[in-house]
Amino acid sequence: AKHDGRNTFRFYAPEMDKRASERLLIENHLRRALSRNELLLHYQPKVDSRSGRVLGVEALARWENPELGLVSPTRFIPVAEETGLIESIGDWILRTACAQNKQWQDEGIPPIVVAVNISATQFRRNDLVRTVCAALEATGLAPQWLELEITESMLMQRPEHAEAILRQLAAMGVGIALDDFGTGYSSLAYLKRFPVRNLKIDRSFVQEIHTAPSDAAIVRAVVSLAKSMDLDLVAEGVEVREQLDCLASLDCHVYQGYYFSKPVPAALCASLLRQSMPV
Ligand code: C2E
Ligand code: CA
Ligand code: CA
Ligand code: CA
């Protein structure tokens, strides 16, 4: 039996073997993914339902490998983190998202914010600010059109470190969003200490919002928190009209989810952005 550090014992099982070898397989292929151009980004719009306008997009990593097929980021990002590959992959994601957003601006699309997910390992490193600066400089994107999505737990691990990093980024004009908000362990008193611009209500609260009063109550509380702290608010994972109506009745009007669009390749996203322009 193997001790996993939390007062429980896990017993060796054949499926652990399978998982370990699958992981090794991913790791081996992931090492070559960048040089073989197998990584790409999809973009999912954040829509303001009152105006119908796209306010921004979230960049979401995709990995297409000839042998493994399409690998979900929930499978390969953790491997990238544990192997240190996240350093080069994360840097590529940041640069590609910035370059894409700059290109859209150069094509005459009204400027929008591109949001990039930052992993815990990237956030823990000491060179995040330098990496972000380099990406902006290399692509010519102005800092106000970049937002970084981090999670509450990243703030709580080393609060002083987190505060210092976020203050530098905010001073540059880069936005900070708290992703999956409500699922972590943040103390609300802490929140005001960090220069956060945007809260993203986690999909788990949106999923049954129209049928579960407790989820609606949570969202109502987050809406009033965002209002009193002057934060932007986005609801994630809006799939059906009933969810949207319920969110709107709670005074939450910016949505990201399949109801409007799945994450799509850059070219398709560009046409969504053009459609969202006032004519
Ligand atoms: P996330 O940051 O919470 O991203 C939102 C996820 O929800 C995305 O999954 C998106 O495709 C999915 N989604 C959006 N709208 C809907 C909806 O209406 N219904 C449902 N059921 N799902 C929806 P995806 O792209 O598979 O990414 C999963 C997670 O992987 C992300 O969760 C994020 O934590 C991580 N990830 C993705 N791209 C990156 C990246 O570039 N860097 C890092 N560090 N992590 C990434
Ligand atoms: Ca995210
Ligand atoms: Ca999220
Ligand atoms: Ca999530």
Side-chain angles (χ1 to χ4, degrees):
K2 216 180 138 201
H3 200 264
D4 81 351
R6 268 183 261 146
N7 300 322
T8 55
F9 286 90
R10 285 190 311 199
F11 288 91
Y12 180 84
E15 77 248 29
M16 280 174 70
D17 228 10
K18 217 175 118 205
R19 226 180 296 144
S21 66
E22 193 219 48
R23 187 183 179 81
L24 206 57
L25 190 68
I26 291 187
E27 181 180 334
N28 286 333
H29 284 93
L30 195 57
R31 290 194 182 284
R32 289 178 218 103
L34 266 186
S35 62
R36 294 187 176 174
N37 278 319
E38 292 172 1
L39 292 180
L40 65 156
L41 296 182
H42 280 185
Y43 299 88
Q44 187 177 37
K46 294 178 201 170
V47 180
D48 184 333
S49 66
R50 288 165 299 188
S51 65
R53 299 285 302 274
V54 176
L55 303 180
V57 296
E58 177 176 4
L60 292 155
R62 298 289 178 262
W63 178 25
E64 185 117 55
N65 178 271
E67 254 177 75
L68 302 173
L70 192 65
V71 188
S72 160
T74 57
R75 277 172 77 204
F76 74 82
I77 295 286
V79 179
E81 290 210 59
E82 281 167 37
T83 53
L85 288 167
I86 194 68
E87 199 181 326
S88 53
I89 290 177
D91 191 41
W92 179 87
I93 291 169
L94 198 54
R95 280 173 190 247
T96 304
C98 290
Q100 183 60 69
N101 201 19
K102 178 67 165 74
Q103 191 188 319
W104 284 329
Q105 292 180 7
D106 291 346
E107 288 169 2
I109 291 170
I112 53 153
V113 170
V114 69
V116 175
N117 291 286
I118 298 298
S119 77
T121 313
Q122 275 176 295
F123 192 71
R124 226 178 292 122
R125 294 176 51 91
N126 290 320
D127 58 359
L128 180 67
V129 176
R130 210 178 326 132
T131 307
V132 170
C133 277
L136 292 170
E137 219 158 274
T139 59
L141 184 74
Q144 74 259 35
W145 306 117
L146 175 65
E147 186 170 277
L148 304 181
E149 296 195 0
I150 62 172
T151 59
E152 297 155 89
S153 53
M154 297 186 204
L155 299 179
M156 298 309 142
Q157 276 160 15
R158 279 167 65 202
E160 303 76 21
H161 172 77
E163 189 180 347
I165 290 186
L166 295 191
R167 294 228 170 272
Q168 291 175 69
L169 291 167
M172 285 163 59
V174 172
I176 304 296
L178 282 190
D179 205 356
D180 305 342
F181 189 73
T183 61
Y185 306 94
S186 65
S187 113
L188 297 183
Y190 252 63
L191 207 58
K192 66 175 183 222
R193 172 171 169 183
F194 303 100
V196 169
R197 179 163 82 189
N198 191 349
L199 299 182
K200 300 190 76 180
I201 301 177
D202 190 66
R203 182 169 86 223
S204 58
F205 302 114
V206 172
Q207 227 155 27
E208 278 144 37
I209 190 170
H210 50 306
T211 52
S214 57
D215 286 339
I218 290 169
V219 171
R220 185 179 292 115
V222 176
V223 168
S224 91
L225 178 74
K227 267 207 192 116
S228 63
M229 293 183 65
D230 199 24
L231 300 170
D232 293 340
L233 195 62
V234 182
E236 297 188 307
V238 178
E239 294 180 353
V240 296
R241 181 83 219 179
E242 289 75 18
Q243 293 164 340
L244 190 153
D245 290 339
C246 190
L247 285 161
S249 76
L250 296 171
D251 213 11
C252 173
H253 303 282
V254 181
Y255 314 112
Q256 190 183 336
Y258 297 168
Y259 183 76
F260 292 100
S261 172
K262 293 203 165 185
V264 292
L268 191 50
C269 190
S271 65
L272 292 175
L273 294 173
R274 286 205 177 83
Q275 281 168 33
S276 115
M277 286 187 200
V279 274

